[in-house]
Amino acid sequence: MKKVSVLGSTGSIGKKTVDLLLKRKEEYQVEALSTHSNFALLAHQAKLLNVKYVAISDERFYKDLKEGLFGTDIKVEVGAEGLANIAALPVDLSVIAVVGIAGLEPVMHIIESGTKAIALANKESIVCGGELLLRKAKEKNVQIIPIDSEHNAIFQVLQNDDRCVEKIILTASGGPFLNYSLEQLRNVTADQALSHPTWNMGKKISIDSATMMNKVLEIIEAHNLFNIGPNRIEAVVHPESIIHGVVVYKDGFNFAVLAETDMAIPISYALSWPERSALSYKLDLTKQKKLTFQEPDHKRFPALKLSMEVLNSSSPHINSIVLSVANEVAVNEFLKSRISFLEIVKVVESTIESFDSYTNINSLSDIINIDLESRVVAKEIIEYKTLVYS
Ligand code: NDP
Ligand code: MG
């Protein structure tokens, strides 16, 4: 039996992972699950999967979770420390489905824990952990299997052949506002931004898809994961979301990975790696009326230029952290209707511009300091509306 843990089991990716684990109970022994605040669902999942440990990072719900697990011998961990404790349990595979930079510390603990592989959905930890995270993973011989569909696709192709790669292409659905004019984008609401045309996802990534900041994070994620220069990573809009990623080889061959738009498929791949498991999703090409592709529009989606700006800057790692954190702050403020949709990217640009820390990144605490500092800068920019208009 493969021993697994799932961090962030109550979210969109987490729930799909738990569904797959429930269907394959004879193959996996689930050691631990975690949530931020959703104690009721966590207790339900923990009992169904008969896990040994759970962690709830929001301490206010500790008592509720304990009550929900009354009569079981499931151990409850609490707070950031509790999450770190379950991350430190060695397993065969740990699924990281936490959202935001909150996923970074657990990932770093997992790398140190003796866990063999990480099935990673949390793109922010790769963006912010950068070279430090990947170096530590290599030192400890921890395999990272990306769940993010584009990276999962590229990972699969590169597993077969990583020689003579010219470039990689990440597809983008274009989000709910693909055909909106700049004028229309000025007044879009959070509810509109949350209704994604092809994917059903958590709130933050849905907003990131709408601004196309998701693709910026994904280009940085791909650069870090596959050690490939920013000039060799391309984003192409493909609204049908059937092709997830393409590897272009120097001899003119292009390997594209096609699958239905359901995250259960890459999650299943990561759970089973290096094997494959049968799933009921079958892509019927004859039912696809057409597959279309277009260049992304930088004018309406100004976030897109940021991946090149950040990765070609003199401090790409620091700027990646600042971008990711400022975006997290801005998305939260947009969801509370405190800033407009178009201001999200302005907050990110302005935070990168105003941030003037020149620390070298040698440890997790350096990253945490940049997180805290850039959070303060982003919040001030929002409060005093000191946005940079480029
Ligand atoms: P959700 O918001 O649906 O779920 C996030 C999970 O993380 C929940 O279990 C949540 O707990 C937990 N969580 C939230 N905040 C914290 C915190 N501060 N500390 C610890 N745990 C926390 O997100 P998604 O499932 O959509 O996304 C998860 C990650 O996967 C993101 O990084 C996203 O970019 C990436 N991803 C997601 C895809 C998707 O289809 N959803 C596709 C590709 C990548 P609670 O339920 O209590 O809030
Ligand atoms: Mg993706």
Side-chain angles (χ1 to χ4, degrees):
M1 290 253 265
K2 221 178 193 176
K3 280 190 182 176
V4 300
S5 60
V6 185
L7 273 51
S9 63
T10 54
S12 163
I13 294 286
K15 284 190 276 191
K16 278 190 185 282
T17 308
V18 168
D19 285 348
L20 285 169
L21 292 170
L22 282 168
K23 285 184 195 138
R24 301 177 187 171
K25 264 185 157 173
E26 64 294 344
E27 290 172 62
Y28 299 94
Q29 183 187 322
V30 185
E31 297 284 297
L33 298 175
S34 88
T35 186
H36 186 53
S37 57
N38 194 342
F39 61 89
L41 181 56
L42 183 66
H44 180 67
Q45 292 176 329
K47 286 189 261 188
L48 285 177
L49 286 165
N50 196 20
V51 308
K52 295 194 180 124
Y53 296 89
V54 291
I56 185 149
S57 37
D58 188 333
E59 308 193 356
R60 291 172 302 167
F61 303 102
Y62 172 69
K63 240 181 99 217
D64 299 297
L65 180 59
K66 279 294 265 188
E67 278 168 22
L69 292 171
F70 184 75
T72 71
D73 53 9
I74 299 169
K75 295 186 186 61
V76 181
E77 296 277 352
V78 64
E81 204 181 312
L83 186 59
N85 289 343
I86 69 157
L89 294 169
V91 286
D92 295 308
L93 177 76
S94 185
V95 181
I96 308 298
V98 171
V99 62
I101 197 172
L104 177 63
E105 276 192 70
V107 170
M108 297 301 277
H109 287 296
I110 289 165
I111 290 173
E112 299 292 335
S113 72
T115 289
K116 293 181 192 125
I118 300 179
L120 192 76
N122 177 260
K123 63 191 78 183
E124 296 89 348
S125 60
I126 290 287
V127 170
C128 299
E131 193 268 332
L132 177 79
L133 185 157
L134 290 148
R135 180 162 40 85
K136 295 254 178 212
K138 207 166 179 186
E139 277 167 20
K140 297 279 175 182
N141 215 3
V142 181
Q143 175 68 52
I144 295 178
I145 309 150
I147 285 181
D148 207 352
S149 55
E150 300 79 357
H151 307 72
N152 185 277
I154 304 289
F155 177 84
Q156 293 192 42
V157 180
L158 295 181
Q159 290 271 295
N160 290 333
D161 192 354
D162 64 358
R163 297 163 306 161
C164 276
V165 173
E166 174 135 338
K167 65 176 176 183
I168 60 175
I169 300 175
L170 311 178
T171 55
S173 67
F177 304 139
L178 177 61
N179 299 314
Y180 277 45
S181 67
L182 202 50
E183 206 42 49
Q184 284 174 306
L185 286 175
R186 271 184 227 294
N187 300 314
V188 291
T189 63
D191 280 346
Q192 284 173 294
L194 287 171
S195 354
H196 196 277
T198 46
W199 295 100
N200 187 6
M201 311 179 286
K203 282 188 179 176
K204 178 186 178 270
I205 185 174
S206 297
I207 303 299
D208 289 347
S209 285
T211 56
M212 294 198 77
M213 192 61 88
N214 187 44
K215 226 31 69 179
V216 176
L217 292 169
E218 290 188 351
I219 288 173
I220 303 174
E221 181 186 10
H223 165 73
N224 289 342
L225 274 176
F226 306 121
N227 194 18
I228 184 163
N231 304 335
R232 292 165 60 214
I233 308 173
E234 207 176 287
V236 169
V237 175
H238 168 47
E240 297 82 12
S241 305
I242 293 294
I243 293 181
H244 302 284
V246 184
V247 177
V248 178
Y249 289 95
K250 289 191 172 143
D251 60 4
F253 276 105
N254 296 254
F255 279 60
V257 176
L258 289 74
E260 276 191 30
T261 50
D262 196 306
M263 287 306 293
I265 303 170
I267 296 170
S268 170
Y269 175 87
L271 285 176
S272 304
W273 186 89
E275 307 300 324
R276 285 183 186 268
S277 299
L279 271 187
S280 57
Y281 300 92
K282 301 283 177 270
L283 179 67
D284 184 347
L285 283 176
T286 61
K287 295 224 165 70
Q288 304 300 318
K289 288 192 193 85
K290 54 181 180 180
L291 296 182
T292 61
F293 306 91
Q294 48 185 281
E295 270 187 42
D297 181 341
H298 286 244
K299 216 165 175 185
R300 288 179 301 127
F301 300 100
L304 285 164
K305 65 175 180 301
L306 292 176
S307 49
M308 286 296 264
E309 281 184 16
V310 162
L311 290 176
N312 288 325
S313 70
S314 54
S315 350
H317 191 176
I318 294 176
N319 284 331
S320 299
I321 303 166
V322 178
L323 173 137
S324 181
V325 172
N327 179 56
E328 238 177 84
V329 172
V331 168
N332 276 330
E333 295 295 301
F334 171 67
L335 286 170
K336 292 176 187 154
S337 305
R338 294 202 193 124
I339 60 170
S340 72
F341 180 75
L342 291 178
E343 281 173 335
I344 298 174
V345 176
K346 303 256 176 258
V347 169
V348 176
E349 286 179 306
S350 308
T351 310
I352 295 173
E353 198 134 310
S354 315
F355 195 79
D356 60 359
S357 162
Y358 294 100
T359 344
N360 280 325
I361 299 178
N362 298 312
S363 65
L364 177 60
S365 60
D366 292 333
I367 299 178
I368 294 171
N369 286 337
I370 296 168
D371 171 11
L372 297 174
E373 281 177 45
S374 48
R375 217 165 267 279
V376 171
V377 175
K379 284 183 177 161
E380 278 175 4
I381 284 169
I382 291 169
E383 192 172 338
Y384 302 112
K385 292 261 174 205
T386 46
L387 298 173
V388 173
Y389 285 87
S390 51

